[in-house]
Amino acid sequence: MKKKALRKDFRMEIRKNKARFISIFCIVALGVAFFSGIQASSPDMRFSGDAYFDDRELMDLRVMGTMGLTERDVEAVKAVDGVLDAEGAYGTDVLCEVENTQEVLHIESVNETVNYIEADEGRLPEQSGECFLDRSFAASHGYKLGDEMAVIQDGDSELLKRERFTVVGIGISPLYISFDRGSTTLGTGRVGGFAYVLPQDFDQEVYTQIYVRVKGAEDLVSYSDAYDHLIEKLSDRLEGIEDMQCRLRYEEVVSDAEEELADAEKELEDGKKEAEEELADAEQELRDAEKELEDGKKELEDGKKELEDARKELEDGKKELADGKKELEDARKELEDGKKELADGKKELFDAEKEVADGKKELADGKKELEDARQELLDGKEELENGKRELAEGWQEFSDGKEELSAGKAQLEESRQQLIDGRKELEDGKRQLEESRQQLADGKKELADGKKQLEESRQQLEDGKKELEAGKAQLEESRQQLEDGKKELEDGKKQLEESRQQIEDGKKELEAGKAQLEESRQQLID
């Protein structure tokens, strides 16, 4: 009775909630189907994965060492019972700058007997500078065959010989069968992809890892208990040789370090001996440089003395030039007075010419001679003006010589300061010795240039003196011409007086003639 009532109650509940019943039924059916599918596909997935791993010769164990692994370690691993094959490999993590961000890329060396990689596009690396790139990394960042990939190494562990590689192949690796590419200490801590290069692109004497294949592993299915047990047994055997191999590696590293230390100590002794010799040579050079500096200082003092003498000569020339200028002004004043007297004489001569216009022919000849004298006097004035202009140009050239001489003095003073600075720098030691010697050479060159400029200034001074003497000579000639003009003027005045006297005599004769004419007229009337 109870069972019938329970069934009846079930049927009633189902009729009342048909939608809920159908939903629960479908959910349970879907869960059962999914569980059945997983249970059925799990062996197939394991078999498929195991076949892929066997086909690609995927390693079963990876051995790593903190001090690196040598070829001796590879041979020791191969000698362990149960090891089918072992191969050393290189690997490092680098940064790859893509799309204004930095992704971590794990770079491995191409293996010969394990971990065969498969190229979907292109080929495997065949020469240095080529790389095989992760398919997922290439697709997400737009890398194609023939592109150049630049990487950045960690400063503490630079294992690669180059930082630029050409992509020649894109594909997959049996080491990376999941979306996760592993973790790292660089960047964000997450590896974004992998790349394979040839072993010669690694600048490393020891391996970073050893890949091991186990005997009998190919006959077992991966991820099975039997496979895990086999791998665990071989791992225990490899750990048994760890102490010996680490000790050998430690002794090798220490031996290399001691040998390098001995070489370094020998190099240090040689360097110390060489440094002492160089120091002795530097001290000798320093003493020689100090002697050269003293000689240069003496030459500078001599040049300064010569410059003072030249300045004194220049002042004397300036004084002589001022005296010549004063004499020229006096000559100009005398010339102006002569011009004034000449103008007065011209006026008097004009009046005389007017008075004797109807006079004698000799007076006209005297006028002509007087005009010639005036022309000669004007020519003398023009020559005197030319002498004045040439003397002014000589004074200008003399002033330019004075300015160049002052510039030479300034350069000599600058050379002296540089020589003093050079001596101060010489006291600092060998490091600044070459610079001080160079500055000393520059000071000597500038001193020689100053001497040359001094000689040029002296030559200009001599030229100025010659021009001054020439000006003086021209001034004397002008004075002589002025004196000649004065003499000719006096002669003209004298001739004018004679002409006036002749006019007076002519007037007297005319008056006498008039008187005789009146007497004759009177006599004629009588």
Side-chain angles (χ1 to χ4, degrees), residues 388-484:
K388 177 184 175 182
R389 184 169 57 255
E390 291 177 355
L391 191 59
E393 291 175 356
W395 166 250
Q396 181 62 34
E397 293 178 355
F398 190 77
S399 298
D400 295 341
K402 180 181 178 182
E403 291 178 358
E404 292 178 356
L405 191 60
S406 299
K409 179 184 176 183
Q411 291 180 354
L412 284 175
E413 288 296 327
E414 183 179 357
S415 300
R416 179 185 178 188
Q417 184 62 35
Q418 289 178 353
L419 286 174
I420 293 174
D421 294 339
R423 183 177 183 182
K424 183 178 178 180
E425 292 174 357
L426 278 171
E427 294 175 355
D428 293 339
K430 177 185 175 182
R431 185 176 61 83
Q432 299 178 352
L433 178 61
E434 291 299 326
E435 183 179 355
S436 300
R437 292 177 66 183
Q438 184 62 35
Q439 291 181 354
L440 181 62
D442 294 340
K444 286 184 177 181
K445 184 177 179 181
E446 292 179 2
L447 182 61
D449 294 339
K451 287 183 177 180
K452 184 177 180 181
Q453 293 177 359
L454 182 61
E455 292 296 330
E456 292 177 355
S457 300
R458 284 181 176 175
Q459 185 62 36
Q460 291 176 359
L461 184 62
E462 293 296 330
D463 295 339
K465 286 183 178 180
K466 290 180 180 180
E467 291 178 359
L468 183 61
E469 293 296 331
K472 286 182 179 181
Q474 291 178 358
L475 183 61
E476 291 297 331
E477 291 178 0
S478 299
R479 285 181 179 176
Q480 185 63 37
Q481 292 175 359
L482 183 60
E483 292 295 332
D484 295 339

Side-chain angles (χ1 to χ4, degrees), residues 42-61:
S42 176
D44 292 337
M45 294 177 65
R46 288 185 179 182
F47 290 140
S48 298
D50 184 68
Y52 173 75
F53 296 151
D54 292 342
D55 182 58
R56 294 298 165 189
E57 302 289 349
L58 179 64
M59 57 87 183
D60 297 304
L61 283 173

Side-chain angles (χ1 to χ4, degrees), residues 184-443:
T184 180
T185 57
L186 297 180
T188 59
R190 177 180 172 275
V191 178
F194 64 86
Y196 281 86
V197 299
L198 294 180
Q200 52 261 37
D201 284 330
F202 281 88
D203 187 14
Q204 186 75 356
E205 296 180 357
V206 294
Y207 300 117
T208 55
Q209 62 258 346
I210 298 175
Y211 291 120
V212 181
R213 296 183 63 219
V214 181
K215 290 180 181 179
E218 292 183 357
D219 300 331
L220 301 175
V221 178
S222 302
Y223 306 110
S224 64
D225 293 338
Y227 177 81
D228 293 340
H229 181 67
L230 178 64
I231 298 303
E232 186 177 355
K233 286 175 58 178
L234 184 60
S235 177
D236 293 339
R237 293 173 190 163
L238 291 175
E239 290 177 356
I241 67 171
E242 178 183 358
D243 293 338
M244 179 180 296
Q245 295 302 125
C246 288
R247 185 170 62 254
L248 292 175
R249 176 61 180 156
Y250 175 78
E251 292 176 354
E252 182 181 0
V253 171
V254 170
S255 176
D256 295 338
E258 289 177 350
E259 184 177 354
E260 291 180 1
L261 183 61
D263 295 338
E265 288 178 351
K266 183 179 180 181
E267 185 177 355
L268 180 62
E269 290 296 330
D270 296 338
K272 185 177 179 181
K273 184 178 180 181
E274 184 179 355
E276 290 177 352
E277 293 176 355
E278 290 181 356
L279 183 60
D281 296 338
E283 290 177 352
Q284 182 63 36
E285 291 178 0
L286 186 61
R287 286 192 293 269
D288 296 338
E290 288 179 352
K291 187 174 182 302
E292 291 179 2
L293 186 62
E294 291 296 331
D295 296 339
K297 184 177 179 182
K298 185 177 179 182
E299 291 179 2
L300 186 62
E301 293 295 332
D302 295 338
K304 183 177 178 182
K305 185 177 179 182
E306 291 178 0
L307 187 62
E308 291 295 331
D309 295 338
R311 182 191 298 172
K312 186 176 180 182
E313 292 179 2
L314 187 62
E315 292 295 331
D316 295 338
K318 184 177 179 181
K319 185 177 179 182
E320 292 179 3
L321 189 61
D323 294 339
K325 186 177 180 181
K326 184 177 179 182
E327 292 178 1
L328 186 61
E329 290 295 330
D330 295 339
R332 184 189 299 170
K333 185 176 180 182
E334 291 178 2
L335 186 60
E336 291 295 330
D337 295 339
K339 287 171 66 177
K340 185 175 181 182
E341 291 179 1
L342 185 61
D344 295 338
K346 285 172 66 177
K347 185 177 180 181
E348 292 178 0
L349 186 61
F350 179 78
D351 295 337
E353 287 176 354
K354 187 177 181 181
E355 291 177 359
V356 296
D358 300 328
K360 296 180 178 181
K361 184 179 180 181
E362 291 82 3
L363 187 59
D365 296 336
K367 180 180 178 181
K368 183 178 180 181
E369 292 177 357
L370 188 59
E371 288 294 330
D372 295 336
R374 183 180 68 177
Q375 184 63 37
E376 290 178 357
L377 188 60
L378 290 176
D379 294 338
K381 177 183 176 182
E382 184 178 357
E383 291 178 356
L384 187 60
E385 289 295 330
N386 293 333
K388 177 184 175 182
R389 184 169 57 255
E390 291 177 355
L391 191 59
E393 291 175 356
W395 166 250
Q396 181 62 34
E397 293 178 355
F398 190 77
S399 298
D400 295 341
K402 180 181 178 182
E403 291 178 358
E404 292 178 356
L405 191 60
S406 299
K409 179 184 176 183
Q411 291 180 354
L412 284 175
E413 288 296 327
E414 183 179 357
S415 300
R416 179 185 178 188
Q417 184 62 35
Q418 289 178 353
L419 286 174
I420 293 174
D421 294 339
R423 183 177 183 182
K424 183 178 178 180
E425 292 174 357
L426 278 171
E427 294 175 355
D428 293 339
K430 177 185 175 182
R431 185 176 61 83
Q432 299 178 352
L433 178 61
E434 291 299 326
E435 183 179 355
S436 300
R437 292 177 66 183
Q438 184 62 35
Q439 291 181 354
L440 181 62
D442 294 340

Side-chain angles (χ1 to χ4, degrees), residues 88-146:
Y90 305 100
T92 183
D93 292 334
V94 296
L95 294 174
C96 181
E97 190 168 345
V98 289
E99 300 176 355
N100 298 325
T101 60
Q102 288 184 343
E103 291 282 348
V104 180
L105 194 67
H106 181 74
I107 297 183
E108 286 260 352
S109 61
V110 178
N111 303 119
E112 295 181 358
T113 60
V114 294
N115 306 331
Y116 296 148
I117 54 180
E118 180 181 0
D120 296 336
E121 300 179 40
R123 56 176 174 81
L124 301 183
E126 296 177 355
Q127 58 185 1
S128 178
E130 297 179 344
C131 75
F132 177 89
L133 191 59
D134 181 7
R135 178 175 63 188
S136 175
F137 186 84
S140 60
H141 297 294
Y143 280 104
K144 299 179 181 179
L145 295 179

